[in-house]
């Protein structure tokens, strides 16, 4: 196996894993109620844990109480524990379930707190005039929030600008295809012939597709995290065979004329964004198996920083879809240590959001 690509934010989380484990030890050895006059604060537990981690020495089992001082309480309320150096407040308060609302609750926000009133629905992006902005195809994606038995279903209806970006739109339609044997194929057709010596399949959002990553209040990213896992699911197996070959990134790029076209910039919520080089190029250093993990995004706020590397190839087309993105972009994230670093609150959703069904139509009456 080759080197596995790791998202940079994950490196930070791995470095901080020790902090988390040490903090749990602090809780385990703190049977009493919280008190400012504790025998040892979490700082000393973190320090002792580091010594144990490096030297291999066992942690002592002296009972301590979990300290929550006035400074920690104030910075938690202000949300600036890290900036002022209040490490107990920065590291400790968002890790456990006590301080966090139920992530399946529609009013549970990314920061783990309940909002006082329902979120204001994001406005529908305006429909533009002209042939290039004409919606040529509609893709409806239904997603399930949470476990299937207790899941909440949300619908996203996407209109695509096929006249402006035929190459990227075709990739998107292939990727969301639900036809028998359908999906995005970028390998040689020979790979599908028996006797070629490999197992492979098209990659499709309908098989193993997830809401993979959330940038709170900014952007949702959808994709297939692992082609091998999706292949195993398709075949009803626990894992893919050793000879499995993932689909590589598509080599067909936009024409020069396509590349010059800008139907609209990333200037409003509800726009569909894909990498300029095509679906699969959001993380160019990732192995082929994970190439389509962040295949396309739906932005929930204007973001001009995306204009250089991405293209807007479509938009959400109705109020129900805007209500859905408002709900999804506010889901709590599994952010680990990034949750205490300013501006680093992004991550996978805390509750699984899976693609339940997809339908594609040519009904373009919306535009």
């Amino acid at each position: 196996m080759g080197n596995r690509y790791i998202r940079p934010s994950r490196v930070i989380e791995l470095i901080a894993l020790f902090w988390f484990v040490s903090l749990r030890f602090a809780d385990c050895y703190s049977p009493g109620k919280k008190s400012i006059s504790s025998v040892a604060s979490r700082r000393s537990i973190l320090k002792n844990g580091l010594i144990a981690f490096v030297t291999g020495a066992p942690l002592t089992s002296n009972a301590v109480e979990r300290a929550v001082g006035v400074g920690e309480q104030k910075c938690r309320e202000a949300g600036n524990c890290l900036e002022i150096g209040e490490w107990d407040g920065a590291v400790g308060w968002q890790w456990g379930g006590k301080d966090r609302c139920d992530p399946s609750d529609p009013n549970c926000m990314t920061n783990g707190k309940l909002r006082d009133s329902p979120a204001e629905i994001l406005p529908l992006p305006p429909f533009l005039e002209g042939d290039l902005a004409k919606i040529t195809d509609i893709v409806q994606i239904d997603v399930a929030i949470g476990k299937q038995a207790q899941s909440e279903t949300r619908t996203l209806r996407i209109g695509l600008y096929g006249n402006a970006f035929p190459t990227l739109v075709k990739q998107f339609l292939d990727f969301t295809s639900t036809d028998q044997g359908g999906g995005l194929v970028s390998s040689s057709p020979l790979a599908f012939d028996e006797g070629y010596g490999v197992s492979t399949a098209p990659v499709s959002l309908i098989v193993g597709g997830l809401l993979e990553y959330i940038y709170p209040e900014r952007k949702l990213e959808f994709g297939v995290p692992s082609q091998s896992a999706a292949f195993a699911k398709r075949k009803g197996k626990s894992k893919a065979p050793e000879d499995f070959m993932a689909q590589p990134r598509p080599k067909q790029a936009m024409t020069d004329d396509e590349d010059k076209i800008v139907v609209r910039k990333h200037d409003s919520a509800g726009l569909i964004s894909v990498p300029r080089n095509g679906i699969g190029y959001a993380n160019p250093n990732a192995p082929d198996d994970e190439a389509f993990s962040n295949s396309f995004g739906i932005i929930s706020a204007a973001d001009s920083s995306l204009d250089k590397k991405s293209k807007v190839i479509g938009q959400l087309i109705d109020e129900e879809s805007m209500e859905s993105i408002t709900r999804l972009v506010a889901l709590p994230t599994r952010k680990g240590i990034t949750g205490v670093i300013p501006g680093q609150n992004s991550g996978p959703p805390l509750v699984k959001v899976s693609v339940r069904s997809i339908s594609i139509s040519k009904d373009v009456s919306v535009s």
Side-chain angles (χ1 to χ4, degrees):
M1 296 179 66
N3 294 331
R4 181 178 175 85
Y5 170 81
I6 301 178
R7 186 190 294 271
S9 62
R10 287 289 178 269
V11 176
I12 301 176
E13 293 176 17
L14 290 172
I15 293 173
L17 178 61
F18 156 73
W19 288 10
F20 174 70
V21 174
S22 298
L23 187 61
R24 290 295 133 221
F25 272 107
D27 290 340
C28 290
Y29 294 133
S30 304
K33 62 183 181 180
K34 298 176 183 178
S35 169
I36 297 178
S37 59
S38 57
V39 176
S41 70
R42 280 187 298 236
R43 291 187 183 89
S44 60
I45 293 296
L46 292 173
K47 177 181 177 182
N48 293 337
L50 179 58
I51 294 172
F53 181 78
V54 174
T55 65
L59 284 171
T60 60
S61 57
N62 295 331
V64 297
E65 293 183 354
R66 189 176 176 191
V68 179
V70 174
E72 179 180 347
Q73 292 173 340
K74 287 183 177 180
C75 79
R76 285 170 56 173
E77 294 172 359
N80 64 347
C81 293
L82 188 68
E83 292 93 323
I84 66 174
E86 186 61 60
W87 294 101
D88 280 349
V91 176
W93 73 288
Q94 282 286 6
W95 288 93
K98 291 181 180 178
D99 296 325
R100 191 176 60 210
C101 53
D102 180 356
S104 64
D105 188 326
N107 288 321
C108 187
M109 299 185 292
T110 303
N111 62 6
K113 296 181 179 180
L114 283 172
R115 60 169 54 89
D116 296 329
S117 58
E120 184 176 348
I121 307 303
L122 293 167
L124 186 69
F127 295 101
L128 303 182
E129 299 291 336
D131 187 60
L132 293 180
K134 181 181 179 180
I135 291 175
T136 57
D137 306 87
I138 295 176
V139 179
Q140 176 174 314
I141 302 174
D142 295 321
V143 298
I145 304 173
K147 297 180 180 179
Q148 292 293 330
Q150 306 169 337
S151 64
E152 169 192 352
T153 302
R154 291 285 177 170
T155 297
L156 299 163
R157 294 187 185 88
I158 297 170
L160 298 170
Y161 309 142
N163 291 338
F165 307 110
T167 303
L168 296 178
V169 167
K170 183 182 184 303
Q171 288 181 6
F172 191 97
L173 292 174
D174 287 346
F175 183 65
T176 54
S177 172
T178 59
D179 294 340
Q180 183 70 26
L184 183 61
V185 176
S186 49
S187 63
S188 167
L190 294 175
F192 292 86
D193 293 342
E194 290 192 23
Y196 191 73
V198 298
S199 299
T200 190
V203 56
S204 173
L205 189 66
I206 195 62
V207 182
L210 300 173
L211 169 54
E212 171 67 4
Y213 212 76
I214 299 175
Y215 295 88
E217 312 303 333
R218 291 169 47 212
K219 184 184 179 186
L220 304 171
E221 288 186 347
F222 291 84
V224 177
S226 168
Q227 291 188 63
S228 58
F231 181 85
K233 179 179 180 180
R234 188 191 296 261
K235 298 294 184 180
K237 305 291 185 180
S238 59
K239 64 177 182 178
E242 292 296 327
D243 65 356
F244 174 75
M245 183 185 77
Q247 295 296 319
R249 294 168 179 82
K251 293 182 179 179
Q252 183 183 8
M254 292 185 293
T255 65
D256 291 339
D257 289 340
E258 272 184 87
D259 192 41
K260 295 175 183 177
I261 294 173
V262 178
V263 173
R264 67 197 312 166
K265 296 183 177 181
H266 296 77
D267 56 7
S268 65
L271 301 180
I272 314 305
S273 176
V274 299
R276 296 181 79 99
N277 291 336
I279 288 178
Y281 287 89
N283 297 319
N285 295 323
D288 285 349
D289 187 58
E290 302 170 16
F292 300 93
S293 60
N294 307 94
S295 294
F296 68 92
I298 306 178
I299 63 172
S300 60
D303 189 348
S304 59
S305 67
L306 297 173
D307 290 336
K308 185 175 181 179
K309 294 184 178 181
S310 302
K311 285 280 192 180
V312 174
I313 65 165
Q315 65 179 87
L316 297 181
I317 61 173
D318 57 28
E319 297 294 341
E320 181 182 8
S321 299
M322 297 309 297
E323 184 177 344
S324 295
I325 190 180
T326 301
R327 168 79 171 105
L328 293 171
V329 81
L331 285 172
T333 54
R334 196 185 319 127
K335 50 185 173 284
I337 190 63
T338 57
V340 300
I341 299 177
Q344 297 293 317
N345 291 321
S346 57
L350 196 59
V351 290
K352 185 177 180 180
V353 180
S354 55
V355 175
R356 173 173 285 177
S357 64
I358 301 175
S359 62
I360 300 175
S361 70
K362 286 284 187 179
D363 181 4
V364 295
S365 58
V366 294
S367 58

